[in-house]
Amino acid sequence: MISPLPLQAVELLRSLSYPECASSALHQSNIDEVILLAKMAAVERNDQAEATLIWQARTILSVQRGFIAAFNYLKRYKFYEAWCQLEKCEIEIAGLRRYYTPNEIDAHRIGYIERMIFRWQSLYPYKVFSSPEILKKKVVCSICGATISLRQHCVHEKFGIYDGEPCYHIIEEAEILSISMVENPVQKYSVVFLAGDEPGKPKDHYNYGNVRFVVDRVASPFHGWEAETTTKTLESSDIAHLVNDDPCPCVSGKVFGECCVRNAQIVVPHLQINLYVPPSQSLPENELLI
């Protein structure tokens, strides 16, 4: 366990290295208390540089925890919850990168986590999102609470770090003007679901086959993998079970009877999954997926 006495920021950052190892401070029960004490000591000395480094440590810890939480959601097949948690990590990393650049060793695994967030997201079937057009009526500074507008602002710079806290703008009053359906949303959590049988409960109609395939074969969030887009040729024997009303395997969006029913062979898109750590012997390491 780390000493509760205030540590220097450099020591804190070093202690959060290699989160996949049990020796990392990530796994210490008192790490939040340690970071808080270090921040309070830096603020009391008015050491803004030190306080900013301590904020980096706190954010790194949050990203590491968030990525592990997303992986645990995936393991429980809570795919939408994992999707939202991955986006939270993505946002935190974007803020962190204004002040922090991983070195070649990537000891905190921030570069690795960033890459794996993108890879997990690329497996998801989500294609359509809702995007609201919002009229901001009242925006305030998170540091001082001053109202922010085109003609009025405070002394704090947005995304700056003050006493170990980031400055951002809080929307306190807003009006939704419209909602659009988009493919590349600002907020990725706004996935479009079908209406469920019960009011207010959406129906998750998505096929998570690719996500499930990978997560079943990965034992740890720090066991990396890569996905390669490729193709596979289906012979007539591979598609003999299809009927005219089935979706065509060439993913044209048409039904089989109106598309490739007369073709002797069909070229279909596949994913080649390459795992850095081999799965259990009962599961193949690599496989092509539609």
Side-chain angles (χ1 to χ4, degrees), residues 43-104:
V43 171
E44 186 176 355
R45 300 193 307 270
N46 194 28
D47 189 339
Q48 295 299 316
E50 180 77 359
T52 297
L53 288 174
I54 293 167
W55 167 82
Q56 289 182 27
R58 189 179 70 187
T59 306
I60 288 168
L61 176 65
S62 181
V63 170
Q64 292 172 344
R65 283 175 171 170
F67 184 63
I68 293 172
F71 183 79
N72 290 335
Y73 277 133
L74 288 168
K75 278 295 189 182
R76 300 199 303 271
Y77 297 158
K78 293 188 175 183
F79 298 113
Y80 178 68
E81 290 84 351
W83 174 266
C84 293
Q85 185 61 56
L86 289 171
E87 184 188 17
K88 290 179 182 178
C89 292
E90 188 177 21
I91 293 171
E92 285 188 310
I93 291 174
L96 179 63
R97 278 196 172 279
R98 294 184 174 92
Y99 298 89
Y100 168 92
T101 302
N103 57 25
E104 293 182 2

Short mmCIF file of all heavy atoms in Angstrom, two decimals, residues 43-104:
data_model
loop_
_atom_site.label_atom_id
_atom_site.label_comp_id
_atom_site.label_asym_id
_atom_site.label_seq_id
_atom_site.Cartn_x
_atom_site.Cartn_y
_atom_site.Cartn_z
N VAL A 43 -1.61 22.68 -4.08
CA VAL A 43 -2.44 23.89 -4.11
C VAL A 43 -2.06 24.82 -2.96
O VAL A 43 -2.00 26.04 -3.12
CB VAL A 43 -3.93 23.51 -4.06
CG1 VAL A 43 -4.80 24.76 -3.86
CG2 VAL A 43 -4.34 22.78 -5.33
N GLU A 44 -1.80 24.23 -1.80
CA GLU A 44 -1.42 25.04 -0.63
C GLU A 44 -0.12 25.79 -0.90
O GLU A 44 0.05 26.93 -0.45
CB GLU A 44 -1.28 24.14 0.59
CG GLU A 44 -1.03 24.91 1.88
CD GLU A 44 -0.99 24.00 3.10
OE1 GLU A 44 -1.25 22.78 2.93
OE2 GLU A 44 -0.69 24.50 4.19
N ARG A 45 0.78 25.18 -1.67
CA ARG A 45 2.04 25.84 -2.02
C ARG A 45 1.88 26.74 -3.25
O ARG A 45 2.83 27.41 -3.65
CB ARG A 45 3.12 24.79 -2.33
CG ARG A 45 3.45 23.85 -1.22
CD ARG A 45 4.74 23.08 -1.54
NE ARG A 45 4.68 22.41 -2.84
CZ ARG A 45 4.23 21.17 -3.04
NH1 ARG A 45 3.78 20.47 -1.99
NH2 ARG A 45 4.23 20.63 -4.24
N ASN A 46 0.69 26.73 -3.83
CA ASN A 46 0.41 27.45 -5.07
C ASN A 46 1.37 27.00 -6.19
O ASN A 46 1.82 27.79 -7.02
CB ASN A 46 0.52 28.97 -4.88
CG ASN A 46 -0.10 29.73 -6.05
OD1 ASN A 46 -1.01 29.24 -6.72
ND2 ASN A 46 0.41 30.93 -6.32
N ASP A 47 1.64 25.71 -6.20
CA ASP A 47 2.51 25.13 -7.21
C ASP A 47 1.63 24.60 -8.35
O ASP A 47 1.21 23.43 -8.34
CB ASP A 47 3.35 24.00 -6.59
CG ASP A 47 4.44 23.50 -7.54
OD1 ASP A 47 4.31 23.71 -8.76
OD2 ASP A 47 5.40 22.87 -7.05
N GLN A 48 1.33 25.47 -9.30
CA GLN A 48 0.40 25.11 -10.37
C GLN A 48 0.96 24.02 -11.28
O GLN A 48 0.22 23.15 -11.76
CB GLN A 48 0.03 26.35 -11.19
CG GLN A 48 -0.75 27.39 -10.40
CD GLN A 48 -2.07 26.86 -9.89
OE1 GLN A 48 -2.81 26.18 -10.61
NE2 GLN A 48 -2.39 27.16 -8.63
N ALA A 49 2.25 24.02 -11.53
CA ALA A 49 2.85 23.00 -12.38
C ALA A 49 2.71 21.62 -11.73
O ALA A 49 2.37 20.63 -12.40
CB ALA A 49 4.32 23.32 -12.64
N GLU A 50 2.96 21.55 -10.43
CA GLU A 50 2.82 20.29 -9.71
C GLU A 50 1.36 19.84 -9.69
O GLU A 50 1.06 18.65 -9.89
CB GLU A 50 3.34 20.45 -8.28
CG GLU A 50 3.27 19.20 -7.42
CD GLU A 50 4.36 18.18 -7.72
OE1 GLU A 50 5.19 18.44 -8.61
OE2 GLU A 50 4.39 17.14 -7.04
N ALA A 51 0.45 20.78 -9.45
CA ALA A 51 -0.97 20.45 -9.42
C ALA A 51 -1.45 19.92 -10.77
O ALA A 51 -2.29 19.01 -10.84
CB ALA A 51 -1.79 21.67 -9.02
N THR A 52 -0.91 20.45 -11.85
CA THR A 52 -1.28 19.98 -13.18
C THR A 52 -0.78 18.56 -13.41
O THR A 52 -1.49 17.72 -13.99
CB THR A 52 -0.70 20.92 -14.26
OG1 THR A 52 -1.29 22.22 -14.10
CG2 THR A 52 -1.02 20.41 -15.66
N LEU A 53 0.43 18.26 -12.95
CA LEU A 53 0.95 16.90 -13.06
C LEU A 53 0.12 15.92 -12.24
O LEU A 53 -0.11 14.78 -12.65
CB LEU A 53 2.41 16.86 -12.62
CG LEU A 53 3.43 17.50 -13.57
CD1 LEU A 53 4.81 17.50 -12.94
CD2 LEU A 53 3.46 16.77 -14.91
N ILE A 54 -0.34 16.36 -11.08
CA ILE A 54 -1.18 15.51 -10.24
C ILE A 54 -2.52 15.27 -10.92
O ILE A 54 -3.08 14.17 -10.86
CB ILE A 54 -1.35 16.12 -8.84
CG1 ILE A 54 0.00 16.12 -8.11
CG2 ILE A 54 -2.40 15.38 -8.03
CD1 ILE A 54 0.03 16.96 -6.86
N TRP A 55 -3.05 16.29 -11.60
CA TRP A 55 -4.27 16.10 -12.39
C TRP A 55 -4.03 15.05 -13.48
O TRP A 55 -4.91 14.23 -13.75
CB TRP A 55 -4.71 17.43 -13.02
CG TRP A 55 -5.75 17.24 -14.07
CD1 TRP A 55 -7.10 17.09 -13.87
CD2 TRP A 55 -5.55 17.16 -15.49
NE1 TRP A 55 -7.75 16.90 -15.07
CE2 TRP A 55 -6.81 16.94 -16.08
CE3 TRP A 55 -4.42 17.23 -16.30
CZ2 TRP A 55 -6.97 16.81 -17.46
CZ3 TRP A 55 -4.57 17.10 -17.67
CH2 TRP A 55 -5.83 16.90 -18.23
N GLN A 56 -2.85 15.08 -14.10
CA GLN A 56 -2.53 14.06 -15.09
C GLN A 56 -2.61 12.67 -14.47
O GLN A 56 -3.17 11.74 -15.06
CB GLN A 56 -1.14 14.30 -15.67
CG GLN A 56 -1.02 15.51 -16.57
CD GLN A 56 0.38 15.64 -17.14
OE1 GLN A 56 1.10 14.67 -17.30
NE2 GLN A 56 0.78 16.87 -17.44
N ALA A 57 -2.03 12.52 -13.29
CA ALA A 57 -2.04 11.22 -12.61
C ALA A 57 -3.47 10.78 -12.32
O ALA A 57 -3.83 9.61 -12.53
CB ALA A 57 -1.23 11.30 -11.31
N ARG A 58 -4.29 11.71 -11.85
CA ARG A 58 -5.69 11.37 -11.54
C ARG A 58 -6.45 10.96 -12.79
O ARG A 58 -7.24 10.02 -12.78
CB ARG A 58 -6.37 12.58 -10.90
CG ARG A 58 -7.76 12.29 -10.34
CD ARG A 58 -8.36 13.53 -9.71
NE ARG A 58 -8.70 14.52 -10.73
CZ ARG A 58 -9.11 15.75 -10.44
NH1 ARG A 58 -9.17 16.16 -9.19
NH2 ARG A 58 -9.41 16.59 -11.41
N THR A 59 -6.18 11.66 -13.90
CA THR A 59 -6.86 11.34 -15.16
C THR A 59 -6.38 10.00 -15.72
O THR A 59 -7.17 9.21 -16.24
CB THR A 59 -6.64 12.46 -16.18
OG1 THR A 59 -7.04 13.72 -15.61
CG2 THR A 59 -7.45 12.22 -17.44
N ILE A 60 -5.08 9.75 -15.64
CA ILE A 60 -4.54 8.46 -16.08
C ILE A 60 -5.19 7.32 -15.30
O ILE A 60 -5.60 6.30 -15.87
CB ILE A 60 -3.01 8.44 -15.91
CG1 ILE A 60 -2.35 9.34 -16.96
CG2 ILE A 60 -2.46 7.02 -16.00
CD1 ILE A 60 -0.88 9.60 -16.70
N LEU A 61 -5.32 7.50 -13.99
CA LEU A 61 -5.97 6.49 -13.16
C LEU A 61 -7.41 6.27 -13.60
O LEU A 61 -7.88 5.13 -13.70
CB LEU A 61 -5.93 6.93 -11.69
CG LEU A 61 -6.66 6.03 -10.68
CD1 LEU A 61 -6.01 4.66 -10.61
CD2 LEU A 61 -6.69 6.69 -9.30
N SER A 62 -8.12 7.35 -13.89
CA SER A 62 -9.51 7.25 -14.32
C SER A 62 -9.64 6.53 -15.66
O SER A 62 -10.53 5.70 -15.85
CB SER A 62 -10.12 8.65 -14.43
OG SER A 62 -11.48 8.59 -14.83
N VAL A 63 -8.71 6.81 -16.58
CA VAL A 63 -8.74 6.13 -17.89
C VAL A 63 -8.46 4.63 -17.71
O VAL A 63 -9.15 3.80 -18.31
CB VAL A 63 -7.70 6.76 -18.84
CG1 VAL A 63 -7.54 5.91 -20.10
CG2 VAL A 63 -8.12 8.18 -19.21
N GLN A 64 -7.47 4.30 -16.89
CA GLN A 64 -7.14 2.89 -16.66
C GLN A 64 -8.33 2.15 -16.06
O GLN A 64 -8.70 1.05 -16.51
CB GLN A 64 -5.92 2.78 -15.75
CG GLN A 64 -4.63 3.27 -16.39
CD GLN A 64 -3.48 3.34 -15.40
OE1 GLN A 64 -3.67 3.30 -14.18
NE2 GLN A 64 -2.26 3.45 -15.91
N ARG A 65 -8.94 2.76 -15.04
CA ARG A 65 -10.11 2.14 -14.41
C ARG A 65 -11.27 2.02 -15.40
O ARG A 65 -11.97 0.99 -15.44
CB ARG A 65 -10.54 2.97 -13.21
CG ARG A 65 -9.69 2.80 -11.97
CD ARG A 65 -10.14 3.76 -10.89
NE ARG A 65 -9.50 3.50 -9.61
CZ ARG A 65 -9.57 4.31 -8.57
NH1 ARG A 65 -10.24 5.46 -8.68
NH2 ARG A 65 -8.97 4.00 -7.43
N GLY A 66 -11.48 3.08 -16.17
CA GLY A 66 -12.60 3.08 -17.11
C GLY A 66 -12.46 2.03 -18.18
O GLY A 66 -13.43 1.38 -18.58
N PHE A 67 -11.23 1.84 -18.67
CA PHE A 67 -11.00 0.84 -19.70
C PHE A 67 -11.24 -0.57 -19.15
O PHE A 67 -11.83 -1.42 -19.83
CB PHE A 67 -9.58 0.97 -20.24
CG PHE A 67 -9.27 0.03 -21.37
CD1 PHE A 67 -9.94 0.11 -22.57
CD2 PHE A 67 -8.28 -0.94 -21.21
CE1 PHE A 67 -9.66 -0.77 -23.61
CE2 PHE A 67 -7.99 -1.81 -22.25
CZ PHE A 67 -8.67 -1.73 -23.45
N ILE A 68 -10.79 -0.81 -17.93
CA ILE A 68 -11.04 -2.11 -17.29
C ILE A 68 -12.53 -2.32 -17.08
O ILE A 68 -13.07 -3.42 -17.30
CB ILE A 68 -10.27 -2.21 -15.96
CG1 ILE A 68 -8.76 -2.23 -16.23
CG2 ILE A 68 -10.68 -3.44 -15.17
CD1 ILE A 68 -7.91 -2.13 -14.98
N ALA A 69 -13.24 -1.26 -16.67
CA ALA A 69 -14.69 -1.36 -16.48
C ALA A 69 -15.40 -1.69 -17.79
O ALA A 69 -16.33 -2.50 -17.83
CB ALA A 69 -15.24 -0.05 -15.90
N ALA A 70 -14.95 -1.06 -18.90
CA ALA A 70 -15.54 -1.34 -20.21
C ALA A 70 -15.32 -2.80 -20.58
O ALA A 70 -16.23 -3.47 -21.10
CB ALA A 70 -14.93 -0.43 -21.26
N PHE A 71 -14.12 -3.32 -20.32
CA PHE A 71 -13.83 -4.72 -20.63
C PHE A 71 -14.71 -5.65 -19.81
O PHE A 71 -15.21 -6.66 -20.32
CB PHE A 71 -12.35 -5.01 -20.37
CG PHE A 71 -11.94 -6.41 -20.73
CD1 PHE A 71 -11.69 -6.75 -22.05
CD2 PHE A 71 -11.80 -7.38 -19.74
CE1 PHE A 71 -11.31 -8.05 -22.39
CE2 PHE A 71 -11.42 -8.67 -20.07
CZ PHE A 71 -11.18 -9.01 -21.40
N ASN A 72 -14.93 -5.31 -18.55
CA ASN A 72 -15.79 -6.14 -17.70
C ASN A 72 -17.23 -6.13 -18.20
O ASN A 72 -17.92 -7.15 -18.14
CB ASN A 72 -15.71 -5.67 -16.25
CG ASN A 72 -14.37 -5.97 -15.60
OD1 ASN A 72 -13.67 -6.90 -16.01
ND2 ASN A 72 -13.99 -5.19 -14.61
N TYR A 73 -17.70 -4.99 -18.69
CA TYR A 73 -19.02 -4.94 -19.31
C TYR A 73 -19.07 -5.87 -20.53
O TYR A 73 -20.05 -6.60 -20.74
CB TYR A 73 -19.35 -3.52 -19.75
CG TYR A 73 -19.89 -2.62 -18.67
CD1 TYR A 73 -19.38 -1.33 -18.49
CD2 TYR A 73 -20.94 -3.02 -17.85
CE1 TYR A 73 -19.89 -0.49 -17.51
CE2 TYR A 73 -21.44 -2.18 -16.86
CZ TYR A 73 -20.91 -0.92 -16.70
OH TYR A 73 -21.41 -0.08 -15.73
N LEU A 74 -18.02 -5.82 -21.34
CA LEU A 74 -17.97 -6.69 -22.52
C LEU A 74 -18.03 -8.16 -22.13
O LEU A 74 -18.73 -8.96 -22.76
CB LEU A 74 -16.69 -6.41 -23.32
CG LEU A 74 -16.63 -5.09 -24.09
CD1 LEU A 74 -15.21 -4.83 -24.58
CD2 LEU A 74 -17.60 -5.11 -25.26
N LYS A 75 -17.30 -8.52 -21.09
CA LYS A 75 -17.28 -9.90 -20.63
C LYS A 75 -18.66 -10.36 -20.17
O LYS A 75 -18.99 -11.56 -20.25
CB LYS A 75 -16.27 -10.08 -19.50
CG LYS A 75 -14.83 -10.26 -19.98
CD LYS A 75 -14.70 -11.56 -20.76
CE LYS A 75 -13.26 -11.91 -21.07
NZ LYS A 75 -13.15 -13.15 -21.88
N ARG A 76 -19.48 -9.42 -19.69
CA ARG A 76 -20.84 -9.76 -19.25
C ARG A 76 -21.87 -9.55 -20.36
O ARG A 76 -23.07 -9.61 -20.11
CB ARG A 76 -21.21 -8.92 -18.02
CG ARG A 76 -20.28 -9.14 -16.83
CD ARG A 76 -20.89 -8.69 -15.52
NE ARG A 76 -21.31 -7.31 -15.52
CZ ARG A 76 -20.52 -6.29 -15.17
NH1 ARG A 76 -19.25 -6.51 -14.84
NH2 ARG A 76 -20.99 -5.06 -15.15
N TYR A 77 -21.35 -9.28 -21.57
CA TYR A 77 -22.21 -9.06 -22.76
C TYR A 77 -23.13 -7.84 -22.58
O TYR A 77 -24.20 -7.79 -23.18
CB TYR A 77 -23.04 -10.30 -23.07
CG TYR A 77 -22.22 -11.52 -23.44
CD1 TYR A 77 -22.76 -12.79 -23.29
CD2 TYR A 77 -20.92 -11.41 -23.90
CE1 TYR A 77 -22.02 -13.92 -23.62
CE2 TYR A 77 -20.17 -12.53 -24.23
CZ TYR A 77 -20.72 -13.78 -24.09
OH TYR A 77 -19.98 -14.90 -24.42
N LYS A 78 -22.70 -6.88 -21.77
CA LYS A 78 -23.43 -5.62 -21.67
C LYS A 78 -22.80 -4.66 -22.66
O LYS A 78 -22.02 -3.77 -22.31
CB LYS A 78 -23.37 -5.09 -20.24
CG LYS A 78 -24.12 -5.96 -19.24
CD LYS A 78 -24.20 -5.31 -17.87
CE LYS A 78 -25.07 -6.13 -16.93
NZ LYS A 78 -25.24 -5.49 -15.60
N PHE A 79 -23.16 -4.84 -23.93
CA PHE A 79 -22.43 -4.20 -25.01
C PHE A 79 -22.66 -2.69 -25.08
O PHE A 79 -21.72 -1.93 -25.34
CB PHE A 79 -22.78 -4.87 -26.33
CG PHE A 79 -22.39 -6.32 -26.38
CD1 PHE A 79 -23.35 -7.31 -26.44
CD2 PHE A 79 -21.06 -6.69 -26.33
CE1 PHE A 79 -22.99 -8.65 -26.47
CE2 PHE A 79 -20.68 -8.02 -26.36
CZ PHE A 79 -21.66 -9.01 -26.43
N TYR A 80 -23.88 -2.25 -24.87
CA TYR A 80 -24.11 -0.80 -24.92
C TYR A 80 -23.43 -0.10 -23.76
O TYR A 80 -22.85 0.99 -23.93
CB TYR A 80 -25.61 -0.48 -24.93
CG TYR A 80 -25.89 1.00 -24.93
CD1 TYR A 80 -25.58 1.78 -26.04
CD2 TYR A 80 -26.44 1.62 -23.82
CE1 TYR A 80 -25.82 3.15 -26.05
CE2 TYR A 80 -26.68 2.99 -23.82
CZ TYR A 80 -26.37 3.74 -24.93
OH TYR A 80 -26.60 5.10 -24.92
N GLU A 81 -23.49 -0.70 -22.57
CA GLU A 81 -22.80 -0.10 -21.41
C GLU A 81 -21.30 -0.01 -21.68
O GLU A 81 -20.67 1.00 -21.32
CB GLU A 81 -23.08 -0.93 -20.16
CG GLU A 81 -24.50 -0.86 -19.64
CD GLU A 81 -25.45 -1.82 -20.33
OE1 GLU A 81 -25.05 -2.44 -21.34
OE2 GLU A 81 -26.59 -1.96 -19.86
N ALA A 82 -20.75 -1.05 -22.29
CA ALA A 82 -19.32 -1.02 -22.63
C ALA A 82 -19.03 0.07 -23.64
O ALA A 82 -18.01 0.78 -23.56
CB ALA A 82 -18.89 -2.39 -23.18
N TRP A 83 -19.91 0.23 -24.62
CA TRP A 83 -19.76 1.27 -25.65
C TRP A 83 -19.69 2.65 -25.01
O TRP A 83 -18.83 3.47 -25.35
CB TRP A 83 -20.93 1.19 -26.61
CG TRP A 83 -21.01 2.25 -27.65
CD1 TRP A 83 -21.71 3.43 -27.57
CD2 TRP A 83 -20.37 2.28 -28.94
NE1 TRP A 83 -21.55 4.16 -28.71
CE2 TRP A 83 -20.74 3.48 -29.57
CE3 TRP A 83 -19.54 1.38 -29.61
CZ2 TRP A 83 -20.30 3.82 -30.85
CZ3 TRP A 83 -19.09 1.71 -30.88
CH2 TRP A 83 -19.47 2.92 -31.48
N CYS A 84 -20.59 2.92 -24.07
CA CYS A 84 -20.63 4.22 -23.40
C CYS A 84 -19.37 4.43 -22.56
O CYS A 84 -18.82 5.54 -22.51
CB CYS A 84 -21.88 4.35 -22.54
SG CYS A 84 -23.42 4.41 -23.47
N GLN A 85 -18.91 3.38 -21.89
CA GLN A 85 -17.71 3.50 -21.06
C GLN A 85 -16.48 3.74 -21.91
O GLN A 85 -15.59 4.53 -21.54
CB GLN A 85 -17.53 2.24 -20.23
CG GLN A 85 -16.38 2.30 -19.24
CD GLN A 85 -16.54 3.40 -18.22
OE1 GLN A 85 -17.54 3.45 -17.51
NE2 GLN A 85 -15.56 4.29 -18.12
N LEU A 86 -16.40 3.09 -23.07
CA LEU A 86 -15.28 3.34 -23.98
C LEU A 86 -15.27 4.78 -24.45
O LEU A 86 -14.21 5.40 -24.58
CB LEU A 86 -15.38 2.40 -25.18
CG LEU A 86 -15.08 0.92 -24.91
CD1 LEU A 86 -15.43 0.07 -26.12
CD2 LEU A 86 -13.63 0.70 -24.51
N GLU A 87 -16.45 5.34 -24.71
CA GLU A 87 -16.51 6.74 -25.13
C GLU A 87 -16.04 7.67 -24.01
O GLU A 87 -15.34 8.66 -24.26
CB GLU A 87 -17.92 7.13 -25.56
CG GLU A 87 -17.99 8.56 -26.09
CD GLU A 87 -19.40 9.05 -26.36
OE1 GLU A 87 -20.35 8.45 -25.85
OE2 GLU A 87 -19.54 10.06 -27.07
N LYS A 88 -16.40 7.37 -22.76
CA LYS A 88 -15.93 8.18 -21.64
C LYS A 88 -14.40 8.18 -21.58
O LYS A 88 -13.78 9.23 -21.37
CB LYS A 88 -16.51 7.65 -20.32
CG LYS A 88 -18.01 7.87 -20.15
CD LYS A 88 -18.50 7.29 -18.83
CE LYS A 88 -19.99 7.47 -18.67
NZ LYS A 88 -20.49 6.87 -17.39
N CYS A 89 -13.81 7.02 -21.77
CA CYS A 89 -12.34 6.93 -21.78
C CYS A 89 -11.76 7.74 -22.93
O CYS A 89 -10.74 8.42 -22.78
CB CYS A 89 -11.90 5.48 -21.89
SG CYS A 89 -12.25 4.45 -20.46
N GLU A 90 -12.41 7.65 -24.08
CA GLU A 90 -11.95 8.38 -25.26
C GLU A 90 -11.95 9.89 -25.00
O GLU A 90 -11.00 10.60 -25.37
CB GLU A 90 -12.88 8.04 -26.42
CG GLU A 90 -12.45 8.56 -27.77
CD GLU A 90 -13.39 8.13 -28.88
OE1 GLU A 90 -14.56 7.77 -28.59
OE2 GLU A 90 -12.97 8.15 -30.04
N ILE A 91 -12.98 10.38 -24.35
CA ILE A 91 -13.09 11.81 -24.04
C ILE A 91 -12.00 12.22 -23.04
O ILE A 91 -11.36 13.27 -23.17
CB ILE A 91 -14.49 12.14 -23.50
CG1 ILE A 91 -15.53 11.96 -24.61
CG2 ILE A 91 -14.54 13.57 -22.94
CD1 ILE A 91 -16.96 12.04 -24.12
N GLU A 92 -11.80 11.39 -22.02
CA GLU A 92 -10.77 11.70 -21.02
C GLU A 92 -9.38 11.72 -21.64
O GLU A 92 -8.56 12.58 -21.30
CB GLU A 92 -10.82 10.66 -19.89
CG GLU A 92 -11.98 10.84 -18.95
CD GLU A 92 -11.89 9.92 -17.75
OE1 GLU A 92 -11.69 8.71 -17.94
OE2 GLU A 92 -12.01 10.41 -16.60
N ILE A 93 -9.11 10.80 -22.55
CA ILE A 93 -7.80 10.77 -23.20
C ILE A 93 -7.60 12.01 -24.06
O ILE A 93 -6.49 12.58 -24.10
CB ILE A 93 -7.65 9.49 -24.06
CG1 ILE A 93 -7.56 8.27 -23.14
CG2 ILE A 93 -6.41 9.57 -24.94
CD1 ILE A 93 -7.56 6.95 -23.89
N ALA A 94 -8.66 12.45 -24.73
CA ALA A 94 -8.56 13.67 -25.55
C ALA A 94 -8.18 14.87 -24.68
O ALA A 94 -7.35 15.71 -25.09
CB ALA A 94 -9.88 13.93 -26.27
N GLY A 95 -8.76 14.98 -23.48
CA GLY A 95 -8.40 16.06 -22.58
C GLY A 95 -6.99 15.91 -22.03
O GLY A 95 -6.24 16.88 -21.92
N LEU A 96 -6.61 14.67 -21.71
CA LEU A 96 -5.30 14.41 -21.16
C LEU A 96 -4.20 14.74 -22.16
O LEU A 96 -3.13 15.26 -21.78
CB LEU A 96 -5.21 12.93 -20.77
CG LEU A 96 -3.89 12.42 -20.19
CD1 LEU A 96 -3.59 13.12 -18.86
CD2 LEU A 96 -3.95 10.90 -20.00
N ARG A 97 -4.44 14.49 -23.44
CA ARG A 97 -3.40 14.66 -24.45
C ARG A 97 -3.01 16.13 -24.67
O ARG A 97 -2.00 16.40 -25.31
CB ARG A 97 -3.85 14.04 -25.78
CG ARG A 97 -3.62 12.53 -25.82
CD ARG A 97 -3.69 12.00 -27.23
NE ARG A 97 -3.30 10.60 -27.32
CZ ARG A 97 -2.06 10.16 -27.36
NH1 ARG A 97 -1.06 11.03 -27.29
NH2 ARG A 97 -1.79 8.88 -27.47
N ARG A 98 -3.79 17.05 -24.15
CA ARG A 98 -3.39 18.45 -24.24
C ARG A 98 -2.17 18.74 -23.37
O ARG A 98 -1.48 19.75 -23.57
CB ARG A 98 -4.55 19.36 -23.83
CG ARG A 98 -5.74 19.31 -24.77
CD ARG A 98 -6.81 20.32 -24.35
NE ARG A 98 -7.88 20.37 -25.34
CZ ARG A 98 -8.99 19.64 -25.28
NH1 ARG A 98 -9.15 18.80 -24.26
NH2 ARG A 98 -9.92 19.71 -26.21
N TYR A 99 -1.92 17.88 -22.39
CA TYR A 99 -0.82 18.11 -21.46
C TYR A 99 0.13 16.91 -21.35
O TYR A 99 1.21 17.03 -20.76
CB TYR A 99 -1.38 18.39 -20.05
CG TYR A 99 -2.23 19.64 -20.00
CD1 TYR A 99 -3.60 19.58 -20.25
CD2 TYR A 99 -1.66 20.89 -19.73
CE1 TYR A 99 -4.39 20.73 -20.21
CE2 TYR A 99 -2.44 22.03 -19.69
CZ TYR A 99 -3.81 21.94 -19.94
OH TYR A 99 -4.58 23.08 -19.91
N TYR A 100 -0.25 15.80 -21.93
CA TYR A 100 0.49 14.56 -21.68
C TYR A 100 0.70 13.82 -22.99
O TYR A 100 -0.25 13.66 -23.79
CB TYR A 100 -0.31 13.70 -20.71
CG TYR A 100 0.17 12.26 -20.56
CD1 TYR A 100 1.09 11.92 -19.58
CD2 TYR A 100 -0.34 11.25 -21.37
CE1 TYR A 100 1.52 10.61 -19.43
CE2 TYR A 100 0.08 9.93 -21.23
CZ TYR A 100 1.01 9.62 -20.25
OH TYR A 100 1.42 8.32 -20.10
N THR A 101 1.91 13.36 -23.22
CA THR A 101 2.23 12.55 -24.39
C THR A 101 2.92 11.28 -23.93
O THR A 101 3.97 11.35 -23.29
CB THR A 101 3.15 13.30 -25.37
OG1 THR A 101 2.52 14.52 -25.77
CG2 THR A 101 3.44 12.45 -26.59
N PRO A 102 2.34 10.10 -24.21
CA PRO A 102 3.00 8.86 -23.79
C PRO A 102 4.37 8.73 -24.45
O PRO A 102 4.56 9.10 -25.61
CB PRO A 102 2.04 7.77 -24.31
CG PRO A 102 0.73 8.46 -24.51
CD PRO A 102 1.06 9.86 -24.89
N ASN A 103 5.33 8.20 -23.70
CA ASN A 103 6.65 7.97 -24.28
C ASN A 103 6.64 6.67 -25.07
O ASN A 103 5.61 6.00 -25.20
CB ASN A 103 7.73 7.97 -23.20
CG ASN A 103 7.46 6.92 -22.12
OD1 ASN A 103 6.78 5.93 -22.35
ND2 ASN A 103 8.00 7.16 -20.94
N GLU A 104 7.79 6.29 -25.60
CA GLU A 104 7.87 5.09 -26.43
C GLU A 104 7.49 3.83 -25.65
O GLU A 104 6.92 2.88 -26.21
CB GLU A 104 9.27 4.95 -27.02
CG GLU A 104 9.63 6.04 -28.03
CD GLU A 104 11.01 5.83 -28.62
OE1 GLU A 104 11.66 4.81 -28.28
OE2 GLU A 104 11.43 6.67 -29.43
#
